[in-house]
Amino acid sequence: MALKPKGTVPFGPYETWYQVTGDLQSERPALVVVHGGPGSTHDYLKNLKELAAHTGPVVLYDQLGNGGSTHLPDKGADFWTPELFADELENLVTRLGIAGNYVLFGQSWGGLLVTKYAAARPAGLRGLVIANAPASYPLWLQEAERLRADLPPGVNETLLRHEAAGTTDSDEYHNAMRPFYEKHVCRLKPWPRDYLASFYEVYNDPTVYYAMNGPSEFHVNGTLKDWSVVDYCPQVDVPTLLISGRYDEATPATVQPFQDLIPDVRWVIFEESSHLPHLEEPELFQQVMKEFLSSLADTGQKEAAGHGAL
């Protein structure tokens, strides 16, 4: 049966929604885009589809629990684990028929997830992009505390008061979050439509986000609060591109372990961006991605030619 450019694949008793731009039969590796959250959707990463015209097919998908994939609002925190989402990713690349030739792009939480996944050294993985991701949530929380202290007077005090009282669902808390998001998540004004689409998807079904992360980007009290992929980094054996923004909530201190421990790694910092360089500096982002993906394709062709000469 021919694969549709958009649809769902079974994942156990559930469904994972996907969208393919380009030809999966291409000799170039498919770029599989793993969104953040956890509990967000593909929407804010839609402009990565533009890469398909230059570098090979692009696969977007919604992780289980959100977007077009199966929603499971009654599942408890013990259900939503990194292992679940790694299994879902493996299932997706297998069912799409690209397990022998693909690149992973993980943004924010997705960056930690693809690091864990790549550490198992799947045979068909050709490269890795870790974008705007911390290597550990303890580091993330440590840096978030520092960034919060630099917010306008009174903002952090309001946040702390609601966090202590357990009233993080209040309008006052949500309004107080805005300065942090505008400075360290997306510096564009107004916020782009694609970003808002994912933002409201989380708002409409926060099951996964609340269980694993917590009430906000900077108050992680869910199951991930102690999670780290630092120990996985030395096991990553493919060329890796690190991306972060100068004003990113994923600060240099949170990204540094990737740089120090992944054997074949390059780090690009976008000087005018925070957490979403693909939206904040799209032209430069596309250029950096094209160069990286082209280098992987060139390496693959050279290796194939070398094997053919034996």
Side-chain angles (χ1 to χ4, degrees):
M1 185 172 64
L3 186 71
K4 296 178 180 179
K6 182 188 297 186
T8 62
V9 297
F11 173 47
Y14 313 120
E15 299 283 334
T16 299
W17 180 93
Y18 72 87
Q19 181 180 46
V20 177
T21 303
D23 181 9
L24 290 183
Q25 304 304 315
S26 166
E27 293 182 359
R28 287 180 174 267
L31 179 68
V32 181
V33 179
V34 183
H35 65 68
S40 186
T41 62
H42 77 284
D43 298 272
Y44 75 102
L45 293 162
K46 277 183 178 178
N47 73 354
L48 270 73
K49 294 189 294 185
E50 298 171 16
L51 291 166
H54 307 280
T55 62
V58 175
V59 177
L60 299 173
Y61 78 103
D62 288 334
Q63 293 163 27
L64 189 67
N66 289 86
S69 297
T70 305
H71 288 233
L72 297 162
D74 296 327
K75 292 292 187 183
D78 59 338
F79 177 80
W80 304 107
T81 64
E83 290 72 26
L84 171 74
F85 291 105
D87 289 345
E88 182 186 32
L89 176 56
E90 182 174 13
N91 179 74
L92 179 70
V93 299
T94 300
R95 289 189 176 273
L96 294 182
I98 56 175
N101 191 28
Y102 64 103
V103 176
L104 290 176
F105 176 99
Q107 201 276 338
S108 196
W109 136 260
L112 288 92
L113 180 60
V114 299
T115 302
K116 170 183 170 56
Y117 185 87
R121 300 186 174 180
L125 183 63
R126 304 296 177 227
L128 192 64
V129 183
I130 302 170
N132 318 102
S136 84
Y137 280 96
L139 273 176
W140 175 272
L141 288 167
Q142 177 182 308
E143 286 295 282
E145 186 175 339
R146 182 178 64 80
L147 295 176
R148 284 169 54 142
D150 290 335
L151 291 174
V155 172
N156 198 31
E157 288 76 8
T158 300
L159 295 170
L160 289 168
R161 175 163 46 84
H162 283 287
E163 288 162 5
T167 52
T168 54
D169 57 350
S170 70
D171 288 342
E172 187 180 30
Y173 184 79
H174 287 151
N175 291 335
M177 291 189 329
R178 185 87 186 199
F180 184 95
Y181 279 69
E182 290 178 341
K183 188 174 183 180
H184 298 298
V185 181
C186 184
R187 296 170 70 84
L188 298 175
K189 295 182 181 179
W191 282 346
R193 181 179 300 176
D194 289 349
Y195 172 60
L196 285 172
S198 284
F199 197 88
Y200 286 121
E201 286 274 5
V202 177
Y203 181 82
N204 289 332
D205 187 352
T207 303
V208 182
Y209 189 76
Y210 282 178
M212 298 183 74
N213 187 88
S216 67
E217 292 293 291
F218 43 77
H219 188 54
V220 180
N221 58 7
T223 57
L224 291 179
K225 67 180 185 297
D226 298 318
W227 195 55
S228 170
V229 295
V230 171
D231 290 344
Y232 292 110
C233 290
Q235 306 307 316
V236 175
D237 67 345
V238 292
T240 300
L241 172 65
L242 295 179
I243 287 173
S244 65
R246 179 59 65 190
Y247 305 97
D248 206 329
E249 58 180 338
T251 66
T254 72
V255 179
Q256 192 66 45
F258 293 124
Q259 173 71 22
D260 292 342
L261 298 172
I262 295 176
D264 183 0
V265 66
R266 173 188 171 220
W267 188 357
V268 177
I269 297 177
F270 288 75
E271 295 295 336
E272 303 301 324
S273 294
S274 56
H275 199 52
L276 306 171
H278 65 284
L279 294 175
E280 295 167 289
E281 295 181 75
E283 294 84 4
L284 180 57
F285 173 85
Q286 292 276 333
Q287 177 187 329
V288 168
M289 285 294 296
K290 288 173 189 175
E291 289 174 357
F292 178 69
L293 294 171
S294 295
S295 72
L296 297 178
D298 292 343
T299 300
Q301 290 171 357
K302 287 176 183 177
E303 289 178 352
H307 289 310
L310 292 176

